[in-house]
Amino acid sequence: MRVGLSEETGQIYGIENWGAGYFGINKKGHLIARPGEGDPRSVDIKEVIDDLARRKIKAPILLRFPQILANQIKKLHISFKNSIAEFGYRNSHLAVYPMKVNQRREVVEEYLREGNKYDFGLEVGSKAELYAALSLEQSPDSLLICNGFKDETFINLAFLGTRVGKQVVIVIEKLNELNTVIRKCQETGIRPMLGIRAKLYSRGSGKWEKSGGECAKFGLTTSEMLEVIRILNEARMIDSLKLLHFHIGSQITEIKRIKNAIKEAARVYCKVKKMHVPIEYLDVGGGMGVDYDGSKTSFDSSANYTMQEFANDVIYTIKNVCEDENVVEPIVVTESGRVLSAYHAMLVTNIQDEIETYPDDKEPIRPEDDDPQVVIELNDLYENINSKNYREYYHDALEHKDELFTLFDLGLVSLEDRAKGERLFWEVCEKASRFAQSARYVSEEFDDLRKQLCTKYLCNFSVFRSVPDNWAIEQLFPIMPIHRLDETPTTFATFVDITCDSDGVIDKFVDLKDVKEVLEIHPFKGEPYYIAILLVGAYQEVMGNFHNLFGTVNEAHVIMDKEESYLIQKIVPGHSIGDILNLSRYDKAFMHSNFRALIAQRVKDGQIDEQEAESIYREYEKNISGYTYLD
Ligand code: PLP
């Protein structure tokens, strides 16, 4: 047992920085998860994966920890409760969970199980989300907020919600939505609550900065808001206007931006209230950032504030503005999604193989006298490179490599000599890289070289399916092995997925001060070696696509019941080959009858006999229920 070493590896991967107390390393050198910071209960992730393997549930596997989701919800409630008490705020906080962050039924149900204790509700942005939300049991005092662009069917569904007793708020994003709502109210006598989404001048920060500001896609301008108030007054429906909403983007990295937006929105709220509008709720949207890299900075994959600071700033700022305007404080509504669900899911997958830049041939290179001059010169560089000349020798090697390929193209170098020259070139690079890394200052070209030389681990998953934001917006996620953490990781690697797409790579990793271009990892010994991609519970599952027809992954819901004891509450199998083909409209009967026809033709042509035909067909047919990932 080498506990000290486990702590060291924990530092390499930065668990303490980004883990929010949910993750750690146990005495066996395995990654563990906990239901909350300081909780004595924990689960050994490697044990779960081995247990699932015995049940024939193969990697990649998405592990879901409902208790972590519940803990984040509770933390949000407590943070606002603390701020309300600390600043003597004379109203309350309600949250709504934006379903688009992760609409999976189990996630939304778990959210409601915990959220119902605090009257937390739901936010929807489409008809399908609303349809699902209408079927779920919410606390009677919670809100069901309808954002997004709406047609008549969307509005009809929202009215159905009011009729069945839900506290529906239809947020007006466009003036024409208002006309439909007023007409429906007049026709039916039903009065859902209404909200307006304001287009603020303030902007967020980070990747979603454009969601806010004057040119944002969503929301009403100041004159449009005034027009809504005028129309509602005219229709004698101003009593329905209950909520002012804004959202300046997801993953807001700087707390200052949040404060500015709140200040502006609170002022708008007070001015609207003073126009004799019985408005009651100020909905500050989502956007609370997740510190994916643990740096606590305003970097895109981080956030320079905590949940408590966020709550404090929201409550304190609104209170100040309301006091200044002499207006009663509103009920504060938050629509945080990412920060609630990111932590609760991790993807675990296995390393399938390694792809080396050049074959690590143990046989020494034996140059011959009759080798081409270029090979002899590369061999000279290889034998004489040292800590003083490595830069110059590396540059010479680059030139010789170009020359080698030119000579090959001209037919002047054989395939064997090309192989020898290539190997010598990479050996020179390897030595040059080693000398460069031990120098006081490592220049950019040698950083690039190290990246080129590092091993690529072939990982059994699809970036596009499981971590699409890594590909689309270079979002970083913590990645680390789930075992061998009592062993120093001596290799550097990047990861490539199993899609036939060169974008299917992960070559940026979290670091406290920088972004790592290679990850410290253990040598692959051909034995099962698993890595986890953590904090993938928000947006990743629902935004993932089926590139190359890699389907949803196997899923297991894990409950931590006692110290180092767990329960696999639920297993949800990932897509089979048949399921995923069905989504592309290849039904089983179509494929099977077409394949049978092909075989029948071969039998007719006398190429195969009936018995062989049957065995080919059976072999083909049985694969339809297989997993889309590598076995
Ligand atoms: N509310 C609205 C209107 C949104 O568009 C979004 C997402 O961008 C959210 C809430 C959730 O934001 P987050 O997941 O960053 O908390």
Side-chain angles (χ1 to χ4, degrees):
M1 186 179 76
R2 299 156 72 188
V3 179
L5 199 52
S6 296
E7 275 163 17
E8 262 171 47
T9 40
Q11 279 165 13
I12 291 175
Y13 299 112
I15 305 182
E16 294 292 319
N17 308 327
W18 47 257
Y22 291 121
F23 307 102
I25 299 176
N26 68 9
K27 290 174 187 165
K28 291 185 200 153
H30 295 174
L31 176 67
I32 56 161
R34 303 182 193 96
E37 191 162 13
D39 197 307
R41 294 170 294 173
S42 67
V43 57
D44 179 324
I45 306 297
K46 175 69 168 37
E47 265 181 35
V48 173
I49 295 298
D50 290 343
D51 182 349
L52 289 166
R54 284 191 293 275
R55 301 182 200 199
K56 307 261 179 291
I57 306 296
K58 300 174 198 158
I61 302 172
L62 186 89
L63 295 181
R64 234 186 252 298
F65 303 99
Q67 289 157 303
I68 294 184
L69 178 62
N71 197 57
Q72 283 297 101
I73 295 162
K74 188 168 157 197
K75 256 169 86 175
L76 182 69
H77 168 71
I78 292 174
S79 300
F80 273 91
K81 200 170 153 206
N82 290 343
S83 315
I84 286 172
E86 184 176 345
F87 301 111
Y89 191 82
R90 281 162 302 180
N91 217 329
S92 55
H93 161 250
L94 287 178
V96 288
Y97 171 72
M99 284 183 66
K100 70 163 164 238
V101 177
N102 193 331
Q103 300 100 340
R104 287 299 300 265
R105 182 165 59 81
E106 291 84 353
V107 175
V108 182
E109 280 176 347
E110 183 57 34
Y111 162 81
L112 288 174
R113 215 183 330 275
E114 181 67 20
N116 281 343
K117 297 180 192 163
Y118 322 115
D119 296 329
F120 283 6
L122 295 171
E123 185 263 5
V124 297
S126 69
K127 289 181 275 191
E129 286 177 2
L130 177 54
Y131 199 92
L134 289 177
S135 73
L136 298 168
E137 202 179 321
Q138 285 182 232
S139 134
D141 293 327
S142 67
L143 300 175
L144 172 51
I145 296 187
C146 302
N147 283 326
F149 298 120
K150 299 163 201 75
D151 62 5
E152 185 140 355
T153 319
F154 194 145
I155 292 167
N156 281 345
L157 279 171
F159 272 67
L160 290 184
T162 311
R163 279 178 69 186
V164 297
K166 294 194 184 253
Q167 294 216 74
V168 176
V169 185
I170 302 177
V171 176
I172 305 295
E173 298 262 7
K174 288 254 134 279
L175 277 177
N176 63 359
E177 292 170 3
L178 183 63
N179 299 332
T180 315
V181 170
I182 292 177
R183 180 167 46 78
K184 288 247 12 141
C185 287
Q186 287 163 347
E187 281 167 13
T188 62
I190 299 165
R191 289 276 189 277
M193 289 191 272
L194 301 183
I196 40 176
R197 177 163 178 172
K199 199 177 271 195
L200 295 187
Y201 177 69
S202 314
R203 277 168 172 259
S205 58
K207 294 271 181 207
W208 284 273
E209 193 178 329
K210 285 202 212 104
S211 306
E214 298 153 291
C215 302
K217 170 174 161 191
F218 300 102
L220 303 173
T221 60
T222 317
S223 50
E224 285 172 325
M225 284 192 278
L226 292 174
E227 183 63 1
V228 168
I229 294 169
R230 190 193 64 74
I231 296 173
L232 285 174
N233 270 320
E234 208 171 273
R236 298 183 183 287
M237 279 183 53
I238 198 67
D239 284 0
S240 301
L241 184 52
K242 295 286 181 200
L243 178 141
L244 175 74
H245 165 55
F246 75 90
H247 171 76
I248 55 166
S250 194
Q251 185 65 16
I252 300 167
T253 56
E254 285 180 53
I255 189 76
K256 194 175 72 196
R257 306 291 185 113
I258 295 168
K259 282 197 233 178
N260 289 346
I262 304 269
K263 224 182 266 174
E264 185 185 344
R267 196 65 73 177
V268 176
Y269 176 88
C270 293
K271 300 291 182 203
V272 170
K273 184 107 185 164
K274 284 177 163 175
M275 292 172 76
H276 307 292
V277 177
I279 195 160
E280 287 173 32
Y281 300 93
L282 176 55
D283 175 354
V284 302
M288 201 191 302
V290 168
D291 192 7
Y292 291 97
D293 72 355
S295 66
K296 299 178 178 53
T297 61
S298 57
F299 175 61
D300 286 350
S301 296
S302 185
N304 69 2
Y305 53 93
T306 61
M307 193 185 265
Q308 187 62 66
E309 259 178 277
F310 178 93
N312 288 352
D313 283 336
V314 169
I315 293 297
Y316 179 79
T317 312
I318 299 177
K319 184 180 154 74
N320 263 354
V321 177
C322 288
E323 272 175 9
D324 192 42
E325 292 277 350
N326 206 12
V327 161
V328 178
E329 290 112 309
I331 298 172
V332 176
V333 181
T334 52
E335 296 184 354
S336 291
R338 180 187 296 274
V339 78
L340 296 187
S341 67
Y343 293 94
H344 93 279
M346 72 166 79
L347 181 87
V348 178
T349 191
N350 60 305
I351 302 296
Q352 198 75 23
D353 210 336
E354 52 187 328
I355 301 168
E356 282 164 330
T357 307
Y358 73 102
D360 190 7
D361 210 332
K362 297 287 175 275
E363 282 289 302
I365 309 162
R366 281 186 227 292
E368 318 273 340
D369 291 345
D370 58 350
D371 278 344
Q373 187 57 24
V374 64
V375 173
I376 290 172
E377 279 170 20
L378 278 165
N379 188 56
D380 272 353
L381 296 176
Y382 168 67
E383 281 180 353
N384 298 314
I385 190 167
N386 61 38
S387 63
K388 290 194 179 127
N389 64 19
Y390 72 87
R391 189 181 303 272
E392 182 194 338
Y393 274 37
Y394 170 61
H395 293 156
D396 289 351
L398 287 171
E399 256 176 50
H400 289 322
K401 185 183 67 167
D402 282 348
E403 191 188 335
L404 176 74
F405 288 121
T406 309
L407 291 171
F408 178 77
D409 287 348
L410 293 171
L412 301 173
V413 160
S414 70
L415 205 53
E416 287 77 11
D417 288 334
R418 173 177 154 151
K420 203 184 266 185
E422 267 177 39
R423 208 183 129 201
L424 281 163
F425 168 75
W426 287 113
E427 295 279 6
V428 173
C429 293
E430 188 76 50
K431 282 192 177 183
S433 175
R434 246 179 283 135
F435 287 125
Q437 298 309 319
S438 49
R440 208 169 331 135
Y441 166 74
V442 183
S443 64
E444 209 169 295
E445 71 176 331
F446 285 104
D447 263 345
D448 290 346
L449 179 63
R450 183 165 80 142
K451 203 169 154 194
Q452 273 184 45
L453 285 170
C454 86
T455 308
K456 292 172 187 63
Y457 274 15
L458 179 65
C459 246
N460 192 12
F461 81 120
S462 155
V463 165
F464 307 93
R465 173 68 248 154
S466 293
V467 272
D469 279 348
N470 182 271
W471 158 67
I473 54 165
E474 297 188 352
Q475 161 86 58
L476 301 183
F477 295 92
I479 302 181
M480 61 180 292
I482 63 165
H483 55 139
R484 294 172 65 184
L485 296 165
D486 51 358
E487 210 184 291
T488 305
T490 51
T491 301
F492 290 97
T494 55
F495 298 100
V496 296
D497 72 2
I498 56 169
T499 64
C500 303
D501 193 313
S502 52
D503 278 353
V505 294
I506 299 187
D507 55 7
K508 300 268 184 306
F509 304 94
V510 305
D511 188 30
L512 200 56
K513 297 211 170 70
D514 203 348
V515 174
K516 285 188 203 172
E517 303 215 306
V518 288
L519 187 70
E520 297 90 334
I521 203 94
H522 302 101
F524 179 59
K525 300 176 186 162
E527 291 160 7
Y529 184 49
Y530 295 99
I531 60 152
I533 308 180
L534 296 104
L535 276 53
V536 295
Y539 297 104
Q540 303 316 294
E541 286 171 63
V542 295
M543 309 254 298
N545 62 52
F546 298 123
H547 193 15
N548 258 164
L549 296 186
F550 288 108
T552 54
V553 300
N554 289 326
E555 193 180 310
H557 300 199
V558 183
I559 302 290
M560 304 161 235
D561 55 1
K562 283 193 235 91
E563 200 171 337
E564 301 232 346
S565 155
Y566 65 90
L567 172 78
I568 297 180
Q569 189 190 39
K570 188 172 189 175
I571 291 174
V572 184
H575 277 144
S576 66
I577 290 176
D579 297 334
I580 194 79
L581 283 168
N582 229 321
L583 291 179
S584 297
R585 302 183 10 88
Y586 291 87
D587 72 52
K588 186 171 157 183
F590 166 87
M591 292 183 292
H592 287 188
S593 78
N594 277 15
F595 194 69
R596 257 208 193 284
L598 271 180
I599 302 171
Q601 188 60 48
R602 300 282 287 168
V603 174
K604 198 170 156 207
D605 295 345
Q607 311 267 0
I608 50 175
D609 62 24
E610 289 288 349
Q611 204 185 350
E612 203 181 346
E614 194 52 25
S615 99
I616 292 174
Y617 178 72
R618 293 279 156 243
E619 183 72 21
Y620 175 71
E621 188 192 33
K622 77 173 188 214
N623 283 294
I624 198 154
S625 54
Y627 201 18
T628 58
Y629 294 89
L630 300 181
D631 279 334

